[in-house]
Amino acid sequence: MTHLMTTYKRQDVAFVRGEGAWLEDSNGRRYLDALTGIAVCGLGHAHPGVARALADQASAVVHTSNLYRIPQQERLGDRLCALSGMDRVFFCNSGAEANEAAIKIARLYGHNQRDVARPTIVVMEGSFHGRTMATLTATGSRKVQAGFEPLLTGFVRAPYNDIAAIQQIAANNNEIVAVLVEPVLGEGGIFVPAADYIARLRALCDDNGWLLMLDEVQTGNGRTGKFFAYQHTGVMPDVVTTAKGLGNGVPIGACLARGVAAETFAPGNHGSTFGGNPLVCAAANAVLDALEQGDLMARATVLGDRIVNGLRDRLKGCNAVRDVRGLGLMIGVEMNEPCGHLVAAGLEAGVLINVTRDNVVRLLPALTMSDQEADELISRVSGLILG
């Protein structure tokens, strides 16, 4: 019997240690990890640089609160802004909290800069932004919203990858102040939009005085082959959020902004007790060190191409498969029918996968995976699908 709330449908396995792309359960069995804690452990498990940074910081000071300066946080903020082109950053504990901060920036911007009574944010069908009340409302899935009504006001929804739909919404709504969008849909099925989608959103925001806000919680920190996915497009957002891979398993989120969006918050407008404490920032700085020193962002592109092409070759002619797609190490195999049973089958086969949108096998492997491990992943996943 467990006293944990039944918020998760857990697989019957407990992992006790990991190394790189592998996890070991309490019975000593090893599994190839193609999920990495849902795009969190981008450097793999038990990364020595992160482990060392955590141990060193834990032996010095773990937490002091944001009532005082935090050197590790200041260093991390400088580095993230240099990597992203943003001006300022707010640290929190998760992707949902980072998106909450972005939503609050947009609303405050609407009141202060646009004098809008009911600031409204355009969000997308199929999106996922978190499970707090604001981010739940922003999320484009009735499945995760059901039962939590009344949802919040101030959001209007458009189909993903459809600029004309947003233009039509704008023609009938003069209270829009921002667009919040994922550069690649993660929970929505690893859907990569048209190459000019983000650029056209940027132009639409510029024409209307809206903020362009990108949710890079899953796409960020090198996973798509750039530090942020928007860097593939040449477009600069006004606000960008990240979390997941930033701490390689240590809970940290960040909301970055530039221009007027970066100056919107004033003391007292927002805050977080634990956000950006010395321990988590030490871990995140170690993650940035590893990404830079190992050229892992470029490696994500090479590995992603290897895995996608390998799966396409193995699954060619399989009528059950509709598509194999991805960007860097965000990879999806779309099936013609629901395939949730493959998660348990993968566990039996010693490979950890995920199924999202009911029919998309989602693969989010570590950026540190070797070529041999990538080939093993191709073999095990294609074997699962082919039966």
Side-chain angles (χ1 to χ4, degrees):
M1 178 181 176
T2 177
H3 291 282
L4 300 176
M5 287 189 182
T6 55
T7 50
Y8 306 102
K9 188 176 180 180
R10 302 177 195 267
Q11 297 295 310
D12 189 18
V13 62
F15 299 112
V16 296
R17 62 182 55 84
E19 183 178 5
W22 297 87
L23 281 169
E24 183 179 315
D25 70 14
S26 53
N27 296 314
R29 188 182 180 203
R30 297 178 79 231
Y31 302 76
L32 184 59
D33 187 1
L35 187 58
T36 58
I38 318 179
V40 168
C41 297
L43 304 183
H45 301 285
H47 187 275
V50 176
R52 186 167 51 250
L54 284 169
D56 290 346
Q57 191 62 52
S59 66
V61 61
V62 169
H63 180 80
T64 59
S65 89
N66 285 294
L67 295 175
Y68 313 101
R69 288 182 57 196
I70 303 173
Q72 284 277 18
Q73 185 186 112
E74 292 174 2
R75 177 171 181 250
L76 180 60
D78 289 345
R79 297 176 78 182
L80 286 175
C81 286
L83 283 164
S84 65
M86 298 290 111
D87 296 330
R88 294 186 183 273
V89 57
F90 170 81
F91 288 108
C92 50
N93 308 290
S94 67
E97 290 177 63
N99 286 331
E100 283 275 347
I103 290 166
K104 289 180 73 173
I105 286 172
R107 289 190 171 193
L108 201 56
Y109 166 81
H111 287 299
N112 294 348
Q113 302 293 327
R114 299 281 307 279
D115 195 25
V116 174
R118 291 177 296 274
T120 299
I121 301 170
V122 178
V123 292
M124 308 302 161
E125 295 173 2
S127 64
F128 184 86
H129 299 294
R131 292 182 182 270
T132 64
M133 283 309 301
T135 58
L136 182 74
T137 305
T139 290
S141 169
R142 280 299 303 155
K143 184 177 179 180
V144 299
Q145 294 171 341
F148 297 105
E149 296 85 358
L151 301 177
L152 303 185
T153 59
F155 297 92
V156 61
R157 203 167 309 283
Y160 190 71
N161 199 32
D162 189 338
I163 297 295
I166 302 176
Q167 291 171 327
Q168 185 174 358
I169 290 169
N172 299 296
N173 190 326
N174 62 4
E175 295 188 308
I176 294 171
V177 297
V179 173
L180 174 63
V181 63
E182 296 167 86
V184 177
L185 287 184
E187 294 288 334
I190 313 297
F191 187 85
V192 183
D196 65 346
Y197 179 58
I198 301 299
R200 294 183 69 189
L201 283 177
R202 175 74 275 174
L204 191 59
C205 288
D206 289 343
D207 289 345
N208 290 279
W210 305 340
L211 300 178
L212 177 60
M213 309 196 304
L214 300 184
D215 176 347
E216 296 238 20
V217 170
Q218 189 169 150
T219 55
N221 306 294
R223 179 150 295 277
T224 69
K226 300 284 188 181
F227 192 81
F228 285 118
Y230 70 80
Q231 292 168 328
H232 291 284
T233 70
V235 170
M236 286 290 289
D238 300 295
V239 179
V240 59
T241 60
T242 188
K244 287 190 180 287
L246 182 57
N248 209 60
V250 176
I252 182 172
C255 177
L256 299 99
R258 69 181 181 100
V260 65
E263 305 301 327
T264 297
F265 280 156
N269 284 150
H270 198 45
S272 170
T273 297
F274 294 104
N277 77 20
L279 186 71
V280 299
C281 288
N285 275 311
V287 168
L288 297 192
D289 290 342
L291 288 174
E292 293 168 357
Q293 294 166 8
D295 200 20
L296 293 180
M297 288 180 275
R299 176 67 176 159
T301 297
V302 173
L303 275 174
D305 289 345
R306 186 185 189 99
I307 295 170
V308 166
N309 291 331
L311 288 171
R312 285 174 177 166
D313 288 343
R314 295 286 188 95
L315 299 173
K316 188 183 301 181
C318 177
N319 293 330
V321 175
R322 182 177 300 172
D323 191 23
V324 180
R325 57 179 178 263
L327 183 63
L329 287 173
M330 286 185 72
I331 299 165
V333 181
E334 184 175 0
M335 310 294 288
N336 285 315
E337 296 181 355
C339 60
H341 65 282
L342 291 177
V343 174
L347 202 64
E348 287 295 316
V351 60
L352 305 182
I353 63 168
N354 175 243
V355 169
T356 189
R357 215 187 65 181
D358 294 328
N359 70 327
V360 179
V361 176
R362 177 170 53 166
L363 306 175
L364 302 162
L367 282 62
T368 53
M369 183 174 272
S370 68
D371 288 351
Q372 182 179 3
E373 289 165 337
D375 292 342
E376 183 67 22
L377 174 59
I378 293 165
S379 177
R380 295 194 189 195
V381 172
S382 59
L384 278 178
I385 292 171
L386 295 171

